[in-house]
Amino acid sequence: METDISCKRYIILEKTQISFCSTRCTTGRRVLGIETSCDDTGAAVVDEYGNILGNALQSQTQETVAVGGVIPFHARDLHKAHIEDVVEQALKEANVTVKDLDAVAVTVKPGISMCLNVGLSYAKKLVQEHRVPMIPIHHMEAHALTARMIEQIDFPFLVLLVSGGHCLLAVAKDIDQFLLLGTALDSSPGEAFDKVARRMKLKNLPECYNMSGGAMVEHIAKQGDIEKFPPLEILSGNRSCNFSFSGMKTHYMRLIENKEKEQEIVASNVISNAGDVCASFQYSVVRHLAKPLHRAFLFSEMRELLPEDGKTLVVSGGVACNQYIQQGLKKVCEKYDCRLVCPPPHLCTDNGIMIAWNGIEKLKAGRGFAEDPQSQRFIPKVPFGEDLTLDVANCTIKVRNANLL
Ligand code: KG4
Ligand code: ZN
């Protein structure tokens, strides 16, 4: 099965995306991953040792920032325009053809229907033409397991997924077994970051050029004073591991509006204390993430869901790129003697690599192949794992607000 060939072996480096070295290395089974669930067209070839052999990504972040959200039919058209090039680029970089692959993995759930359809239709065409197996992938499961590509992380572990479309806390028991402890009751943290960035018109600041809304807020918050505006407490009496960001969105929208009025801000100008508002908002977000996380540790202890020694929390999804949030969550982890693992930013946001890696994990376990790829369907809304959210709430575990400063 394994072939010893001279190849480009890609190494993931923090922040610097991917570099490669030319070495003789062993390439095992290889999977092409295709991602089109939202606004990123991604494709990558990954081998069973976690080497990224080829990777291509066409991001729609700029369009999304410009119009203030993902417009499904517009996103679909961009996926359609780019899918072929993106897949070809990933294959070319990996120096393989589809026939050389052991499977094509493709995101089929959850996501925007017409966007999922572009990737799935393309994958169907590839597997039919070249007679290779197809592995349908759950986008959130792929986010949850990406960290295993870069570090040894044994099951079970705790995982917090924070992105533009989701917010959930779960125990990963196996590659296809998850226990859902908490989830977003309304909007996601990424959406809140994007709304705050847009309402403040941060994209008009030259230093925010080419950034996602969340990255803009993180950047501008560095210039701010966290104590200028008190953080907002959400779901304070609630004893669940659920999250709610819509109240936070409204609160900060109002604050920005008031500051704009006070400062007589017109047109595209930005309030003078944008840094203070961003710093306060970011602190509110991390405090709101921290409380359910505390509770999840305590619930896991009660139910013996995590190992006593060697606990790991994986934080992934676009919002996990945020260093300030990572620092805050690290403080919670230290209290529970838990290691925190956040994949590097290019693996936290949507990409083809995580889909290919999830395909590899399933291939290695010999599970998850589509029996009849041509009749495979996409599923826009789908639960994540076994739902323990009520069980958590019924335990009424009390936690205090942590001081994360
Ligand atoms: O995981 P992702 O790429 O796509 C979804 O599946 O949603 O996440 C995108 C989200 C966007 O809302 C973006 O603003 C946010 O992740 N994001 C950040 C940061 N970088 C990206 N949020 C906070 N801080 C960041 N540095
Ligand atoms: Zn995602």
Side-chain angles (χ1 to χ4, degrees):
M1 196 52 99
E2 290 173 5
T3 38
D4 192 18
I5 56 164
S6 185
C7 68
K8 280 179 181 173
R9 181 165 185 268
Y10 286 83
I11 303 165
I12 303 158
L13 299 172
E14 286 276 329
K15 298 196 179 79
T16 53
Q17 297 272 5
I18 297 160
S19 77
F20 65 83
C21 62
S22 271
T23 54
R24 281 187 72 78
C25 68
T26 309
T27 302
R29 289 169 287 182
R30 289 165 291 199
V31 169
L32 167 71
I34 298 177
E35 159 63 32
T36 63
S37 67
C38 189
D39 59 351
D40 293 296
T41 318
V45 180
V46 171
D47 74 10
E48 65 180 290
Y49 308 110
N51 297 311
I52 302 161
L53 306 176
N55 178 36
L57 184 72
Q58 181 67 43
S59 174
Q60 301 173 17
T61 303
Q62 282 321 299
E63 285 86 347
T64 306
V65 167
V67 298
V70 182
I71 299 176
F73 67 85
H74 186 53
R76 174 203 59 195
D77 291 347
L78 289 172
H79 284 307
K80 275 189 176 170
H82 296 301
I83 184 102
E84 185 151 10
D85 281 355
V86 165
V87 169
E88 271 178 15
Q89 201 183 320
L91 291 170
K92 195 170 163 213
E93 209 170 82
N95 201 19
V96 293
T97 65
V98 181
K99 271 196 235 21
D100 302 322
L101 299 167
D102 293 272
V104 173
V106 58
T107 308
V108 298
K109 59 188 175 185
I112 302 169
S113 296
M114 50 180 99
C115 296
L116 288 166
N117 192 27
V118 178
L120 178 58
S121 303
Y122 197 78
K124 281 182 181 177
K125 194 171 79 114
L126 288 182
V127 300
Q128 189 164 44
E129 254 175 56
H130 303 281
R131 300 191 162 275
V132 290
M134 180 199 274
I135 305 179
I137 303 291
H138 188 306
H139 180 87
M140 303 310 289
E141 291 183 7
H143 268 308
L145 301 189
T146 314
R148 280 166 50 86
M149 192 180 92
I150 48 171
E151 266 190 56
Q152 163 97 31
I153 304 169
D154 297 328
F155 295 111
F157 60 90
L158 199 57
V159 57
L160 173 66
L161 297 182
V162 274
S163 72
H166 303 271
C167 187
L168 61 85
L169 195 46
V171 175
K173 286 179 73 184
D174 201 344
I175 58 161
D176 48 7
Q177 254 188 299
F178 297 85
L179 304 175
L180 184 69
L181 306 184
T183 188
L185 298 176
D186 38 57
S187 47
S188 69
E191 202 186 320
F193 267 101
D194 292 340
K195 284 263 152 61
V196 166
R198 186 170 165 77
R199 182 63 191 80
M200 262 198 288
K201 299 168 279 186
L202 297 182
K203 73 171 180 349
N204 295 332
L205 301 173
E207 63 213 276
C208 289
Y209 177 72
N210 228 356
M211 286 182 181
S212 66
M216 291 179 199
V217 172
E218 179 178 16
H219 179 70
I220 298 300
K222 286 184 189 140
Q223 307 155 14
D225 178 351
I226 207 157
E227 314 246 315
K228 284 278 157 67
F229 300 106
L232 184 72
E233 180 141 358
I234 302 282
L235 297 179
S236 53
N238 190 295
R239 303 263 166 94
S240 72
C241 280
N242 291 329
F243 306 91
S244 167
F245 287 94
S246 75
M248 203 178 289
K249 258 183 346 196
T250 316
H251 173 82
Y252 282 93
M253 291 298 138
R254 253 188 233 133
L255 179 62
I256 298 161
E257 199 177 314
N258 290 341
K259 293 296 145 200
E260 282 191 345
K261 272 189 197 144
E262 269 172 41
Q263 297 174 27
E264 297 177 4
I265 297 291
V266 286
S268 59
N269 292 341
V270 177
I271 50 170
S272 60
N273 42 2
D276 300 337
V277 175
C278 288
S280 166
F281 167 74
Q282 211 171 228
Y283 185 46
S284 297
V285 172
V286 76
R287 275 218 327 184
H288 184 49
L289 295 172
K291 219 168 171 183
L293 181 58
H294 269 291
R295 190 169 284 121
F297 278 119
L298 296 173
F299 178 79
S300 302
E301 255 167 46
M302 278 169 67
R303 294 277 188 273
E304 298 180 355
L305 300 178
L306 297 173
E308 247 174 65
D309 297 317
K311 282 194 254 308
T312 301
L313 169 71
V314 168
V315 184
S316 196
V319 179
C321 298
N322 189 300
Q323 293 291 318
Y324 184 81
I325 289 181
Q326 286 187 18
Q327 289 311 315
L329 298 176
K330 195 158 183 225
K331 288 190 180 140
V332 181
C333 285
E334 278 161 8
K335 209 169 144 50
Y336 295 95
D337 208 8
C338 175
R339 166 175 70 140
L340 173 70
V341 179
C342 302
H346 68 281
L347 292 181
C348 276
T349 49
D350 291 352
N351 61 80
I353 300 166
M354 69 183 202
I355 306 304
W357 173 250
N358 203 239
I360 288 284
E361 293 248 54
K362 291 194 164 157
L363 188 77
K364 287 206 265 189
R367 319 200 271 269
F369 291 99
E371 277 177 20
D372 176 11
Q374 297 311 311
S375 59
Q376 178 66 49
R377 299 264 175 266
F378 57 84
I379 314 172
K381 283 203 164 79
V382 67
F384 183 83
E386 185 187 336
D387 192 346
L388 296 192
T389 56
L390 264 182
D391 190 14
V392 175
N394 288 339
C395 288
T396 62
I397 303 165
K398 197 172 172 193
V399 275
R400 277 209 218 109
N401 262 329
N403 181 6
L404 301 171
L405 288 175

